[in-house]
PDB file of all heavy atoms in Angstrom:
ATOM      1  N   GLY A 415     -10.968 160.788  55.445  1.00  0.00           N
ATOM      2  CA  GLY A 415     -10.644 162.222  55.409  1.00  0.00           C
ATOM      3  C   GLY A 415     -10.728 162.719  53.971  1.00  0.00           C
ATOM      4  O   GLY A 415     -10.260 162.033  53.061  1.00  0.00           O
ATOM      5  N   GLY A 416     -11.311 163.887  53.766  1.00  0.00           N
ATOM      6  CA  GLY A 416     -11.419 164.448  52.412  1.00  0.00           C
ATOM      7  C   GLY A 416     -12.080 163.478  51.465  1.00  0.00           C
ATOM      8  O   GLY A 416     -11.576 163.190  50.372  1.00  0.00           O
ATOM      9  N   ALA A 417     -13.223 162.940  51.877  1.00  0.00           N
ATOM     10  CA  ALA A 417     -13.818 161.818  51.144  1.00  0.00           C
ATOM     11  C   ALA A 417     -14.613 162.234  49.916  1.00  0.00           C
ATOM     12  O   ALA A 417     -14.483 161.642  48.856  1.00  0.00           O
ATOM     13  CB  ALA A 417     -14.733 161.034  52.083  1.00  0.00           C
ATOM     14  N   LEU A 418     -15.437 163.242  50.091  1.00  0.00           N
ATOM     15  CA  LEU A 418     -16.435 163.507  49.052  1.00  0.00           C
ATOM     16  C   LEU A 418     -16.364 164.951  48.567  1.00  0.00           C
ATOM     17  O   LEU A 418     -16.521 165.893  49.353  1.00  0.00           O
ATOM     18  CB  LEU A 418     -17.839 163.212  49.603  1.00  0.00           C
ATOM     19  CG  LEU A 418     -18.109 161.714  49.790  1.00  0.00           C
ATOM     20  CD1 LEU A 418     -19.264 161.482  50.752  1.00  0.00           C
ATOM     21  CD2 LEU A 418     -18.404 161.051  48.453  1.00  0.00           C
ATOM     22  N   PRO A 419     -16.123 165.159  47.261  1.00  0.00           N
ATOM     23  CA  PRO A 419     -16.060 166.522  46.737  1.00  0.00           C
ATOM     24  C   PRO A 419     -17.421 167.203  46.855  1.00  0.00           C
ATOM     25  O   PRO A 419     -18.457 166.569  46.675  1.00  0.00           O
ATOM     26  CB  PRO A 419     -15.682 166.321  45.263  1.00  0.00           C
ATOM     27  CG  PRO A 419     -16.041 164.911  44.943  1.00  0.00           C
ATOM     28  CD  PRO A 419     -15.973 164.132  46.221  1.00  0.00           C
ATOM     29  N   GLN A 420     -17.379 168.474  47.158  1.00  0.00           N
ATOM     30  CA  GLN A 420     -18.620 169.240  47.296  1.00  0.00           C
ATOM     31  C   GLN A 420     -18.882 169.982  45.992  1.00  0.00           C
ATOM     32  O   GLN A 420     -18.076 170.818  45.579  1.00  0.00           O
ATOM     33  CB  GLN A 420     -18.480 170.227  48.465  1.00  0.00           C
ATOM     34  CG  GLN A 420     -18.220 169.530  49.788  1.00  0.00           C
ATOM     35  CD  GLN A 420     -19.370 168.614  50.187  1.00  0.00           C
ATOM     36  OE1 GLN A 420     -20.466 169.082  50.470  1.00  0.00           O
ATOM     37  NE2 GLN A 420     -19.140 167.314  50.199  1.00  0.00           N
ATOM     38  N   TYR A 421     -19.997 169.645  45.366  1.00  0.00           N
ATOM     39  CA  TYR A 421     -20.364 170.314  44.129  1.00  0.00           C
ATOM     40  C   TYR A 421     -21.102 171.601  44.502  1.00  0.00           C
ATOM     41  O   TYR A 421     -22.318 171.644  44.609  1.00  0.00           O
ATOM     42  CB  TYR A 421     -21.250 169.402  43.278  1.00  0.00           C
ATOM     43  CG  TYR A 421     -20.534 168.215  42.642  1.00  0.00           C
ATOM     44  CD1 TYR A 421     -19.210 167.911  42.943  1.00  0.00           C
ATOM     45  CD2 TYR A 421     -21.184 167.411  41.716  1.00  0.00           C
ATOM     46  CE1 TYR A 421     -18.559 166.841  42.348  1.00  0.00           C
ATOM     47  CE2 TYR A 421     -20.540 166.337  41.110  1.00  0.00           C
ATOM     48  CZ  TYR A 421     -19.220 166.058  41.435  1.00  0.00           C
ATOM     49  OH  TYR A 421     -18.590 164.988  40.836  1.00  0.00           O
ATOM     50  N   ALA A 422     -20.314 172.652  44.703  1.00  0.00           N
ATOM     51  CA  ALA A 422     -20.878 173.924  45.161  1.00  0.00           C
ATOM     52  C   ALA A 422     -21.562 174.640  43.994  1.00  0.00           C
ATOM     53  O   ALA A 422     -21.387 174.271  42.826  1.00  0.00           O
ATOM     54  CB  ALA A 422     -19.762 174.794  45.725  1.00  0.00           C
ATOM     55  N   VAL A 423     -22.332 175.671  44.329  1.00  0.00           N
ATOM     56  CA  VAL A 423     -23.007 176.469  43.290  1.00  0.00           C
ATOM     57  C   VAL A 423     -21.953 176.904  42.256  1.00  0.00           C
ATOM     58  O   VAL A 423     -20.886 177.389  42.621  1.00  0.00           O
ATOM     59  CB  VAL A 423     -23.704 177.695  43.924  1.00  0.00           C
ATOM     60  CG1 VAL A 423     -24.282 178.613  42.852  1.00  0.00           C
ATOM     61  CG2 VAL A 423     -24.790 177.234  44.893  1.00  0.00           C
ATOM     62  N   GLY A 424     -22.253 176.684  40.986  1.00  0.00           N
ATOM     63  CA  GLY A 424     -21.308 177.034  39.919  1.00  0.00           C
ATOM     64  C   GLY A 424     -20.388 175.881  39.526  1.00  0.00           C
ATOM     65  O   GLY A 424     -19.489 176.053  38.695  1.00  0.00           O
ATOM     66  N   HIS A 425     -20.625 174.678  40.106  1.00  0.00           N
ATOM     67  CA  HIS A 425     -19.710 173.551  39.863  1.00  0.00           C
ATOM     68  C   HIS A 425     -19.584 173.213  38.369  1.00  0.00           C
ATOM     69  O   HIS A 425     -18.474 173.002  37.872  1.00  0.00           O
ATOM     70  CB  HIS A 425     -20.193 172.315  40.636  1.00  0.00           C
ATOM     71  CG  HIS A 425     -19.318 171.109  40.455  1.00  0.00           C
ATOM     72  ND1 HIS A 425     -18.134 170.946  41.143  1.00  0.00           N
ATOM     73  CD2 HIS A 425     -19.430 170.027  39.641  1.00  0.00           C
ATOM     74  CE1 HIS A 425     -17.566 169.807  40.771  1.00  0.00           C
ATOM     75  NE2 HIS A 425     -18.336 169.227  39.860  1.00  0.00           N
ATOM     76  N   LEU A 426     -20.698 173.166  37.661  1.00  0.00           N
ATOM     77  CA  LEU A 426     -20.633 172.738  36.258  1.00  0.00           C
ATOM     78  C   LEU A 426     -19.777 173.696  35.434  1.00  0.00           C
ATOM     79  O   LEU A 426     -18.990 173.278  34.582  1.00  0.00           O
ATOM     80  CB  LEU A 426     -22.051 172.624  35.649  1.00  0.00           C
ATOM     81  CG  LEU A 426     -22.965 171.562  36.291  1.00  0.00           C
ATOM     82  CD1 LEU A 426     -24.308 171.514  35.553  1.00  0.00           C
ATOM     83  CD2 LEU A 426     -22.319 170.192  36.292  1.00  0.00           C
ATOM     84  N   GLU A 427     -19.928 174.998  35.720  1.00  0.00           N
ATOM     85  CA  GLU A 427     -19.112 175.990  35.010  1.00  0.00           C
ATOM     86  C   GLU A 427     -17.647 175.835  35.362  1.00  0.00           C
ATOM     87  O   GLU A 427     -16.750 175.931  34.524  1.00  0.00           O
ATOM     88  CB  GLU A 427     -19.575 177.410  35.372  1.00  0.00           C
ATOM     89  CG  GLU A 427     -20.775 177.866  34.557  1.00  0.00           C
ATOM     90  CD  GLU A 427     -20.514 177.736  33.063  1.00  0.00           C
ATOM     91  OE1 GLU A 427     -19.453 178.181  32.603  1.00  0.00           O
ATOM     92  OE2 GLU A 427     -21.354 177.140  32.357  1.00  0.00           O
ATOM     93  N   ARG A 428     -17.374 175.572  36.661  1.00  0.00           N
ATOM     94  CA  ARG A 428     -15.981 175.387  37.107  1.00  0.00           C
ATOM     95  C   ARG A 428     -15.363 174.193  36.379  1.00  0.00           C
ATOM     96  O   ARG A 428     -14.220 174.264  35.909  1.00  0.00           O
ATOM     97  CB  ARG A 428     -15.974 175.161  38.625  1.00  0.00           C
ATOM     98  CG  ARG A 428     -14.659 174.628  39.138  1.00  0.00           C
ATOM     99  CD  ARG A 428     -14.568 174.687  40.647  1.00  0.00           C
ATOM    100  NE  ARG A 428     -14.420 176.054  41.079  1.00  0.00           N
ATOM    101  CZ  ARG A 428     -15.044 176.595  42.111  1.00  0.00           C
ATOM    102  NH1 ARG A 428     -15.876 175.872  42.826  1.00  0.00           N
ATOM    103  NH2 ARG A 428     -14.834 177.842  42.430  1.00  0.00           N
ATOM    104  N   ILE A 429     -16.109 173.116  36.259  1.00  0.00           N
ATOM    105  CA  ILE A 429     -15.569 171.918  35.603  1.00  0.00           C
ATOM    106  C   ILE A 429     -15.329 172.199  34.121  1.00  0.00           C
ATOM    107  O   ILE A 429     -14.328 171.748  33.543  1.00  0.00           O
ATOM    108  CB  ILE A 429     -16.532 170.707  35.809  1.00  0.00           C
ATOM    109  CG1 ILE A 429     -16.622 170.377  37.304  1.00  0.00           C
ATOM    110  CG2 ILE A 429     -16.075 169.484  35.012  1.00  0.00           C
ATOM    111  CD1 ILE A 429     -15.300 170.191  38.011  1.00  0.00           C
ATOM    112  N   ARG A 430     -16.205 172.977  33.523  1.00  0.00           N
ATOM    113  CA  ARG A 430     -15.982 173.343  32.108  1.00  0.00           C
ATOM    114  C   ARG A 430     -14.650 174.102  31.959  1.00  0.00           C
ATOM    115  O   ARG A 430     -13.880 173.835  31.051  1.00  0.00           O
ATOM    116  CB  ARG A 430     -17.140 174.229  31.585  1.00  0.00           C
ATOM    117  CG  ARG A 430     -18.099 173.448  30.681  1.00  0.00           C
ATOM    118  CD  ARG A 430     -19.064 174.383  29.969  1.00  0.00           C
ATOM    119  NE  ARG A 430     -20.107 174.882  30.852  1.00  0.00           N
ATOM    120  CZ  ARG A 430     -21.183 174.168  31.171  1.00  0.00           C
ATOM    121  NH1 ARG A 430     -21.357 172.962  30.692  1.00  0.00           N
ATOM    122  NH2 ARG A 430     -22.097 174.659  31.983  1.00  0.00           N
ATOM    123  N   ARG A 431     -14.397 175.006  32.904  1.00  0.00           N
ATOM    124  CA  ARG A 431     -13.144 175.784  32.818  1.00  0.00           C
ATOM    125  C   ARG A 431     -11.924 174.871  33.026  1.00  0.00           C
ATOM    126  O   ARG A 431     -10.911 175.006  32.335  1.00  0.00           O
ATOM    127  CB  ARG A 431     -13.149 176.926  33.839  1.00  0.00           C
ATOM    128  CG  ARG A 431     -14.189 178.006  33.519  1.00  0.00           C
ATOM    129  CD  ARG A 431     -13.985 179.250  34.365  1.00  0.00           C
ATOM    130  NE  ARG A 431     -14.251 179.038  35.779  1.00  0.00           N
ATOM    131  CZ  ARG A 431     -15.451 179.183  36.360  1.00  0.00           C
ATOM    132  NH1 ARG A 431     -16.503 179.542  35.639  1.00  0.00           N
ATOM    133  NH2 ARG A 431     -15.603 178.979  37.654  1.00  0.00           N
ATOM    134  N   ILE A 432     -12.038 173.937  33.991  1.00  0.00           N
ATOM    135  CA  ILE A 432     -10.910 173.017  34.244  1.00  0.00           C
ATOM    136  C   ILE A 432     -10.653 172.173  32.995  1.00  0.00           C
ATOM    137  O   ILE A 432      -9.510 172.031  32.537  1.00  0.00           O
ATOM    138  CB  ILE A 432     -11.218 172.094  35.452  1.00  0.00           C
ATOM    139  CG1 ILE A 432     -11.271 172.910  36.751  1.00  0.00           C
ATOM    140  CG2 ILE A 432     -10.189 170.966  35.563  1.00  0.00           C
ATOM    141  CD1 ILE A 432     -11.795 172.149  37.954  1.00  0.00           C
ATOM    142  N   LYS A 433     -11.728 171.652  32.422  1.00  0.00           N
ATOM    143  CA  LYS A 433     -11.546 170.757  31.267  1.00  0.00           C
ATOM    144  C   LYS A 433     -11.004 171.508  30.062  1.00  0.00           C
ATOM    145  O   LYS A 433     -10.226 170.962  29.282  1.00  0.00           O
ATOM    146  CB  LYS A 433     -12.862 170.063  30.946  1.00  0.00           C
ATOM    147  CG  LYS A 433     -13.233 169.072  32.052  1.00  0.00           C
ATOM    148  CD  LYS A 433     -14.086 167.966  31.545  1.00  0.00           C
ATOM    149  CE  LYS A 433     -14.205 166.898  32.621  1.00  0.00           C
ATOM    150  NZ  LYS A 433     -15.340 166.032  32.415  1.00  0.00           N
ATOM    151  N   THR A 434     -11.401 172.768  29.932  1.00  0.00           N
ATOM    152  CA  THR A 434     -10.857 173.567  28.827  1.00  0.00           C
ATOM    153  C   THR A 434      -9.354 173.749  29.014  1.00  0.00           C
ATOM    154  O   THR A 434      -8.571 173.603  28.069  1.00  0.00           O
ATOM    155  CB  THR A 434     -11.561 174.950  28.768  1.00  0.00           C
ATOM    156  OG1 THR A 434     -12.955 174.711  28.668  1.00  0.00           O
ATOM    157  CG2 THR A 434     -11.099 175.791  27.593  1.00  0.00           C
ATOM    158  N   ALA A 435      -8.951 174.045  30.253  1.00  0.00           N
ATOM    159  CA  ALA A 435      -7.518 174.248  30.520  1.00  0.00           C
ATOM    160  C   ALA A 435      -6.737 172.962  30.258  1.00  0.00           C
ATOM    161  O   ALA A 435      -5.657 172.990  29.666  1.00  0.00           O
ATOM    162  CB  ALA A 435      -7.307 174.732  31.959  1.00  0.00           C
ATOM    163  N   VAL A 436      -7.301 171.829  30.666  1.00  0.00           N
ATOM    164  CA  VAL A 436      -6.586 170.552  30.495  1.00  0.00           C
ATOM    165  C   VAL A 436      -6.595 170.136  29.023  1.00  0.00           C
ATOM    166  O   VAL A 436      -5.604 169.587  28.513  1.00  0.00           O
ATOM    167  CB  VAL A 436      -7.213 169.460  31.404  1.00  0.00           C
ATOM    168  CG1 VAL A 436      -6.612 168.090  31.102  1.00  0.00           C
ATOM    169  CG2 VAL A 436      -7.009 169.820  32.879  1.00  0.00           C
ATOM    170  N   ALA A 437      -7.682 170.423  28.328  1.00  0.00           N
ATOM    171  CA  ALA A 437      -7.773 170.020  26.912  1.00  0.00           C
ATOM    172  C   ALA A 437      -6.730 170.732  26.061  1.00  0.00           C
ATOM    173  O   ALA A 437      -6.358 170.257  24.984  1.00  0.00           O
ATOM    174  CB  ALA A 437      -9.172 170.305  26.375  1.00  0.00           C
TER     175      ALA A 437
END
Side-chain angles (χ1 to χ4, degrees):
L418 288 160
Q420 300 298 293
Y421 288 7
V423 174
H425 180 80
L426 297 183
E427 277 306 312
R428 166 168 288 138
I429 297 308
R430 256 191 285 280
R431 292 192 293 271
I432 293 170
K433 291 207 170 160
T434 304
V436 172

